[in-house]
Amino acid sequence: MEQPIRILIVEDNVIIADDMQSMLEEIGYEIVDNVIVYEQAVEVLKNKEVDLVLIDIILASDKTGIDLGKHIRENYNIPFIFVTSNSDRATVENAKTVKPNGYLVKPFEQQDLYTSIEIALSNFTSVKNNGAVENQEEEDDRLMSNKVLKDSIFVKKQHLYYRIQFGDIQFIKADNVYLEVNTVDKKFLVRSPLKDYLEKLPQQKFYRAHKSYIVNVDHIDAINSKDILINNTLIPISKEFKEFIISAMNS
């Protein structure tokens, strides 16, 4: 199996750092280390394999995140993303001097983090390989992404295509241009309209329970007049879906 993307977090606010680590691990990234100052980050980079660094610009040390970005540019061939509360012109202009692969302003959501990392990795790989890898990935995406088999569907996560049995999908939640596909123990992010994705799934099992949700009726644990419960997740339902479920239960 392909090695997960290994990320170093450099953030001097321990609460924010721990929150970032939880979000990243939930998506499927591996956290190499979680440090608060420039010197610790330099040591980790020297001794461990790192694929990408998330760097707070203002650190609890004399040297800033921009100094660390410069150190990475001069010594390593890996991408890094600045994570900061400061989006003023002076900070942005200063940050641009070390050519970061991304710039994320706090506060942010898990989806923002995921998108920034995936774009940074994709663009970095493309530049490094003069477009050859990017073209291959585009071809793989065309052939494999959301590919439907008789009993399952392929979903891309990082650089792997996971085969998910339809029966293992519990529910799918729409979030802007992405869908969050939830199985018993994993989450996958897919770029697709909810309506289009529903058409790929078996119609006898999957229904649109709400404008933002598709559910697998086999996984419904409980229901009331406004919600259903799937694996301890409360999901809102439309009036039409409630009537459909009650009718199905009575038949």
Side-chain angles (χ1 to χ4, degrees):
M1 182 176 287
E2 186 174 323
Q3 173 77 30
I5 300 299
R6 295 160 297 203
I7 296 177
L8 169 62
I9 298 172
V10 188
E11 165 64 67
D12 65 355
N13 184 313
V14 178
I15 294 172
I16 293 174
D18 287 347
D19 191 36
M20 285 170 62
Q21 179 161 347
S22 296
M23 286 193 283
L24 292 166
E25 288 177 338
E26 190 175 281
I27 295 169
Y29 300 119
E30 177 184 324
I31 305 307
V32 175
D33 212 330
N34 198 331
V35 301
I36 61 172
V37 292
Y38 172 92
E39 292 77 14
Q40 290 175 318
V42 168
E43 196 65 22
V44 173
L45 287 164
K46 188 165 75 173
N47 295 304
K48 297 184 180 179
E49 289 289 322
V50 177
D51 297 315
L52 179 139
V53 191
L54 292 167
I55 310 171
D56 186 12
I57 289 181
I58 308 301
L59 297 173
S61 57
D62 291 336
K63 287 186 176 286
T64 67
I66 292 173
D67 292 318
L68 180 58
K70 185 178 180 185
H71 174 79
I72 292 170
R73 278 285 168 264
E74 291 173 351
N75 296 279
Y76 301 95
N77 191 25
I78 58 173
F80 62 87
I81 296 170
F82 283 136
V83 182
T84 181
S85 321
N86 303 303
S87 56
D88 60 275
R89 184 183 290 267
T91 302
V92 173
E93 288 301 318
N94 201 10
K96 279 164 60 178
T97 61
V98 292
K99 298 185 171 18
N101 302 93
Y103 193 98
L104 196 55
V105 179
K106 304 171 193 171
F108 49 79
E109 301 294 330
Q110 184 183 49
Q111 184 60 60
D112 303 320
L113 199 52
Y114 170 80
T115 304
S116 296
I117 290 169
E118 289 299 314
I119 289 173
L121 288 167
S122 175
N123 289 345
F124 188 80
T125 302
S126 303
V127 170
K128 191 168 70 173
N129 293 281
N130 295 320
V133 171
E134 180 185 47
N135 293 337
Q136 182 59 51
E137 287 187 352
E138 285 178 357
E139 180 65 12
D140 287 346
D141 281 344
R142 188 180 67 79
L143 293 172
M144 292 289 293
S145 191
N146 303 333
K147 186 174 178 63
V148 180
L149 303 180
K150 184 174 69 173
D151 60 352
S152 54
I153 188 168
F154 280 100
V155 176
K156 187 178 182 183
K157 187 170 185 177
Q158 294 171 23
H159 304 299
L160 290 175
Y161 294 90
Y162 288 83
R163 182 177 177 178
I164 305 176
Q165 299 289 324
F166 288 133
D168 290 340
I169 299 174
Q170 295 187 321
F171 65 91
I172 299 163
K173 177 185 176 182
D175 185 6
N176 294 321
V177 296
Y178 287 91
L179 302 180
E180 184 185 277
V181 180
N182 288 262
T183 66
V184 177
D185 58 352
K186 290 186 179 69
K187 290 181 183 179
F188 299 88
L189 289 168
V190 175
R191 192 179 178 97
S192 171
L194 197 65
K195 178 176 175 290
D196 292 353
Y197 210 73
L198 180 59
E199 293 172 359
K200 301 174 188 289
L201 302 169
Q203 293 183 1
Q204 67 272 28
K205 298 287 185 186
F206 290 90
Y207 294 89
R208 190 147 181 184
H210 178 270
K211 65 180 181 180
S212 300
Y213 286 90
I214 294 170
V215 300
N216 182 340
V217 292
D218 287 347
H219 286 280
I220 296 175
D221 298 316
I223 183 171
N224 64 22
S225 60
K226 293 182 180 178
D227 310 283
I228 53 174
L229 189 69
I230 296 181
N231 193 19
N232 294 319
T233 301
L234 210 56
I235 297 170
I237 58 174
S238 65
K239 180 184 175 187
E240 292 78 9
F241 184 75
K242 183 189 78 169
E243 291 171 354
F244 161 75
I245 285 294
I246 292 172
S247 171
M249 287 165 55
N250 290 334
S251 60

